[in-house]
Amino acid sequence: MPLCMLCEQITPWTLKSVRFDGATLLDPEKCNSHHRSFSLLQKSAVECGLCKLMRDAILDNKLNLEGNWPLREDAPVLLGSVINVYADPRVEAPQLYNILVQCGDLFVTLHAFADAESQAAKSNAVAGRLPFETGSQAHFDMITTWLRNCERTHPNCRIGGVGEALADIGQDQSVKLPRRVVDVGDSADPRIRLIDSSNVKGQYVALSHRWPVDPSKHFKTTKSSIDGHRQQIVFEDLPRTFQDAVTVTRRLGLRYLWIDSLCIIQDNSDDWNQQSMVMGKIYNESTITIMAATSMNIPNHEPAPEGFLHQQPSLTLPTIEMDYYSRDWRRDGHWFIRHMDPTRHHSHILDLLTRGWVLQEHMLSRRKVIYTPDQLLWNCKSMQVLEVNRDIKTDSQRIQGTESWEDTFFVDHWLGIAENFSAKDLTFESDKLPALSGLASYFCRRHGQEYFAGLLSGSIAEGLLWRPYSPGSLSRPMEYTAPTWSWTSLKGRIKIVAPSQSSRGSLRSKHAIEDIKFELLPEGKNPNGRLKDGRMKITGLIMRAEMCRENDNANLLMRLRVGTRSLAQFHLDLAESAPAPLSVQEVACLYVLEDEENVLVLRKSRNLYEYERIGIATVDPAWFHDGGAKKERITIV
């Protein structure tokens, strides 16, 4: 489509730079006026491709905001070049990467791209770059450049997170390989085969991927197939995602690849338990992890093609080609504008991260190259780079120090992981603790903690204060996973209600519980894995109360009372814990944090000497100090 007169005047040199905090309306005098109203933009969109792109982006954004920001037909359309935090201050050219479009209270961002060999790019007028075709030589050169830069200049990305910058690629980077790896071969012997490598040192690539929903499509190592896999794995027999992982490993000049379904004997429980114990270490010590985030399970849609190489991401989104004009208005080639909805590539990443096992793979890998349908992302402990801004230099001062937010506020970090992980999907309910065990082991090593079925020793009280994300959203697994006090005992998303550590600076609420002892019975050799049974013995202030269900309400809202005095209303964790309508049950309320209103509501279990958790209630702390609370030692199962 041709451009209207207003759009023809848009160049990297004529757009005014604006500062945008994500919410504040722009000053019309400090940006570029486009159409005088959204109505005029809509009329122009019939014939102008760029106006259509702006209109569609604004309407899409309105839908994403679910109508919270009304769109006014008479609102003017304003444009500005957003100052990029990565802009090189030594370069006078615009370094255009984002174009902000404002219409009333709505904002959308358009992205500017140029071919690396174009004058728009060489002049630094446009900072964004068109994505490469995945699988091309330029694509692999880019990944290799990122990897070499990280290995040489990012001390925090080394194993352990500290150390001097490396002088040569691979120096001090060899590690003891996992028990088994896939040998992808070399020019002398190109065979792909599974090798026993526990006594071998080297570098390896790890793959993070979604297992197929259809079990018949699982390509895995079993007791019956392991001998054949040790002889040779035929490349063409591998699923496309595995083929692509082999290709990337080879093109990066590495020899070994770790894939969970191939390197763990899937029908050998002893092997599976042993390897699940070190899963976090495997991803943490990989030279680089490939995250295949290119497919999504969308209802009523054809499944996406397998694999992540040989895509053409530059063709997947509407793109407007613009004539490039230099500062003196000489036409010299082209540049491009595109609306890249930020939720689009993140949604693919997040879709991959809906899997419980993938969360620790993502968090513990020191370096990740993430494949999405639209572009490639690099993510290491020191920087993040999108393929579209690959030529932008990262300020070395932005590289995080060894004392990061994750270290200073590790309690908040772990509780955030708990909330995040609780929303993940698992093929097998019994994998909940094993899928978290790698992260748990990492936190224990890094922060000197002990771990108890979802809780860290430094934040036991905070870890006990959780509730369903929404009433009625939790359910009990078919198999036992953990004691009732642990958020890992139930299926569904939870919310931590303890005050955050960061909101109080370095201060934390004083724990009102003491003399805590855990008795956990692991099912196998992994102390952080599956449990057969567990209990917690704890001393704290206890108040006895009655739990009343006043009617047959659907949301299972309960009332706490002492005698005729009503204390609070609260929602049960599970519907099955509800008493009969108009009935009363005795409960015990445990005071957990000093001066905090949220308390544990407990009920006698089948063993009348033990309690089980049934929910969280919000009550006045004065009730415990002035209402005759007694310090007791109880057992919670």
Side-chain angles (χ1 to χ4, degrees):
M1 295 174 68
L3 300 182
C4 68
M5 184 181 300
L6 291 175
C7 289
E8 284 181 341
Q9 299 176 41
I10 297 174
T11 76
W13 303 94
T14 57
L15 284 171
K16 296 179 182 179
S17 294
V18 296
R19 294 192 179 275
F20 181 56
D21 62 7
T24 307
L25 295 177
L26 301 180
D27 183 347
E29 296 184 359
K30 295 183 179 180
C31 55
N32 297 75
S33 295
H34 194 51
H35 285 287
R36 287 182 288 112
S37 69
F38 181 74
S39 296
L40 292 175
L41 177 71
Q42 281 193 305
K43 291 180 181 178
S44 180
V46 176
E47 295 183 351
C48 174
L50 185 53
C51 286
K52 181 179 184 300
L53 187 71
M54 294 183 194
R55 180 203 65 187
D56 293 347
I58 291 171
L59 292 176
D60 284 347
N61 190 54
K62 183 174 183 292
L63 292 173
N64 289 337
L65 293 172
E66 298 180 348
N68 293 328
W69 297 74
L71 176 60
R72 301 198 326 265
E73 295 289 327
D74 62 344
V77 180
L78 306 175
L79 307 179
S81 169
V82 181
I83 295 176
N84 195 295
V85 294
Y86 295 112
D88 189 337
R90 298 166 296 183
V91 177
E92 294 183 1
Q95 303 177 77
L96 177 62
Y97 178 56
N98 292 333
I99 301 173
L100 183 70
V101 182
Q102 176 180 309
C103 182
D105 294 335
L106 290 173
F107 304 90
V108 294
T109 301
L110 305 181
H111 297 265
F113 303 87
D115 184 271
E117 300 303 315
S118 69
Q119 188 58 35
K122 291 179 178 179
S123 66
N124 289 307
V126 179
R129 298 289 176 263
L130 288 171
F132 294 125
E133 179 182 348
T134 55
S136 65
Q137 183 59 47
H139 160 90
F140 288 113
D141 289 345
M142 178 177 61
I143 300 175
T144 301
T145 298
W146 287 338
L147 176 58
R148 288 179 176 174
N149 177 59
C150 181
E151 287 186 315
R152 286 175 170 165
T153 64
H154 296 171
N156 296 331
C157 296
R158 298 184 68 180
I159 294 171
V162 293
E164 299 297 326
L166 303 179
D168 299 303
I169 300 300
Q171 180 179 331
D172 296 330
Q173 286 294 293
S174 291
V175 297
K176 186 177 179 181
L177 296 180
R179 181 174 182 176
R180 300 179 196 88
V181 291
V182 176
D183 183 346
V184 301
D186 57 19
S187 56
D189 184 2
R191 283 184 306 158
I192 302 170
R193 55 197 178 96
L194 187 68
I195 63 170
D196 296 308
S197 50
S198 55
N199 294 320
V200 179
K201 294 192 70 175
Q203 294 177 277
Y204 63 96
V205 175
L207 175 66
S208 177
H209 66 106
R210 286 190 65 127
W211 281 48
V213 176
D214 183 356
S216 66
K217 295 183 179 180
H218 294 175
F219 192 93
K220 57 190 178 182
T221 295
T222 62
K223 290 185 233 181
S224 61
S225 65
I226 188 169
D227 289 338
H229 288 175
R230 284 171 173 155
Q231 294 297 315
Q232 182 175 4
I233 301 173
V234 178
F235 182 82
E236 289 75 18
D237 291 344
L238 289 169
R240 184 60 182 270
T241 297
F242 292 7
Q243 291 181 11
D244 290 347
V246 169
T247 299
V248 173
T249 303
R250 288 171 168 172
R251 297 292 291 272
L252 292 180
L254 297 174
R255 180 73 182 255
Y256 304 114
L257 170 65
W258 193 89
I259 301 175
D260 52 1
S261 63
L262 289 179
C263 298
I264 300 175
I265 305 173
Q266 296 298 316
D267 57 353
N268 183 323
S269 59
D270 289 340
D271 190 66
W272 192 92
N273 286 327
Q274 290 173 1
Q275 294 305 294
S276 69
M277 289 175 59
V278 295
M279 191 87 73
K281 183 173 184 288
I282 289 172
Y283 280 95
N284 185 247
E285 293 188 352
S286 67
T287 298
I288 188 171
T289 294
I290 300 167
M291 299 198 72
T294 55
S295 62
M296 295 180 65
N297 289 334
I298 304 177
N300 303 320
H301 282 68
E302 288 293 325
E306 293 184 355
F308 51 85
L309 291 180
H310 306 295
Q311 300 180 96
Q312 290 184 305
S314 60
L315 303 179
T316 62
L317 293 173
T319 303
I320 303 301
E321 183 177 292
M322 307 283 291
D323 288 332
Y324 172 68
Y325 290 92
S326 61
R327 191 192 295 266
D328 57 4
W329 285 99
R330 285 187 302 151
R331 188 166 64 181
D332 191 355
H334 302 92
W335 60 296
F336 307 89
I337 297 178
R338 168 190 296 168
H339 175 230
M340 184 179 290
D341 181 352
T343 64
R344 179 177 166 89
H345 71 262
H346 288 305
S347 64
H348 283 79
I349 298 171
L350 292 175
D351 186 67
L352 176 65
L353 292 179
T354 60
R355 307 305 301 171
W357 283 100
V358 175
L359 180 65
Q360 68 176 5
E361 298 165 9
H362 176 71
M363 295 190 67
L364 294 181
S365 297
R366 294 172 296 127
R367 307 181 186 96
K368 299 178 287 288
V369 57
I370 306 170
Y371 285 85
T372 77
D374 301 321
Q375 63 171 313
L376 199 64
L377 289 80
W378 171 271
N379 187 309
C380 65
K381 290 184 176 296
S382 299
M383 71 177 191
Q384 299 182 45
V385 183
L386 277 67
E387 181 181 0
V388 294
N389 64 6
R390 60 183 177 269
D391 287 347
I392 297 173
K393 302 298 186 293
T394 302
D395 186 347
S396 60
Q397 293 181 351
R398 292 183 177 275
I399 296 177
Q400 71 179 40
T402 54
E403 277 297 314
S404 65
W405 177 92
E406 296 178 4
D407 293 309
T408 306
F409 301 112
F410 78 88
V411 170
D412 281 359
H413 190 203
W414 176 258
L415 297 178
I417 289 172
E419 288 187 351
N420 193 354
F421 184 83
S422 69
K424 305 306 177 188
D425 298 325
L426 290 165
T427 303
F428 304 104
E429 295 175 347
S430 57
D431 282 355
K432 194 158 192 176
L433 285 172
L436 192 64
S437 63
L439 277 168
S441 298
Y442 173 82
F443 265 76
C444 290
R445 290 195 307 270
R446 188 176 181 101
H447 304 295
Q449 297 287 295
E450 292 183 83
Y451 176 75
F452 308 102
L455 307 185
L456 291 182
S457 57
S459 57
I460 292 173
E462 292 87 349
L464 291 173
L465 293 178
W466 53 269
R467 62 166 176 80
Y469 191 82
S470 57
S473 61
L474 298 181
S475 61
R476 192 181 300 280
M478 296 293 292
E479 300 180 46
Y480 176 89
T481 57
T484 62
W485 44 260
S486 171
W487 59 270
T488 64
S489 65
L490 301 178
K491 291 169 55 180
R493 187 178 179 186
I494 59 103
K495 174 71 177 176
I496 300 292
V497 296
S500 66
Q501 179 186 5
S502 55
S503 69
R504 296 170 176 259
S506 59
L507 299 176
R508 289 173 46 208
S509 298
K510 183 180 178 181
H511 290 188
I513 50 178
E514 59 189 23
D515 193 18
I516 305 167
K517 182 179 179 181
F518 293 92
E519 297 176 357
L520 302 175
L521 181 61
E523 183 177 292
K525 295 182 179 179
N526 183 359
N528 299 335
R530 294 182 180 130
L531 293 176
K532 290 182 179 179
D533 193 15
R535 53 191 28 81
M536 172 176 62
K537 295 182 178 180
I538 189 168
T539 300
L541 285 177
I542 299 287
M543 282 292 289
R544 306 292 167 175
E546 292 179 333
M547 176 176 68
C548 315
R549 181 181 180 184
E550 297 182 344
N551 52 52
D552 195 14
N553 50 337
N555 59 9
L556 298 179
L557 187 64
M558 301 292 113
R559 184 178 298 277
L560 283 179
R561 74 184 188 195
V562 175
T564 59
R565 181 187 175 190
S566 179
L567 296 172
Q569 289 182 323
F570 74 101
H571 287 96
L572 294 169
D573 291 338
L574 295 172
E576 64 189 55
S577 301
L582 305 178
S583 65
V584 174
Q585 283 188 357
E586 182 180 307
V587 295
C589 297
L590 175 64
Y591 192 39
V592 179
L593 286 175
E594 290 285 355
D595 300 324
E596 293 297 333
E597 297 178 335
N598 292 295
V599 301
L600 280 187
V601 182
L602 310 170
R603 182 174 61 186
K604 286 286 183 71
S605 69
R606 293 178 181 176
N607 181 341
L608 296 181
Y609 296 99
E610 298 176 334
Y611 289 85
E612 61 182 5
R613 173 200 156 113
I614 57 174
I616 289 278
T618 302
V619 300
D620 186 348
W623 181 51
F624 285 88
H625 299 294
D626 305 331
K630 295 181 180 179
K631 182 175 284 190
E632 299 182 31
R633 184 160 183 80
I634 61 172
T635 300
I636 311 175
V637 295

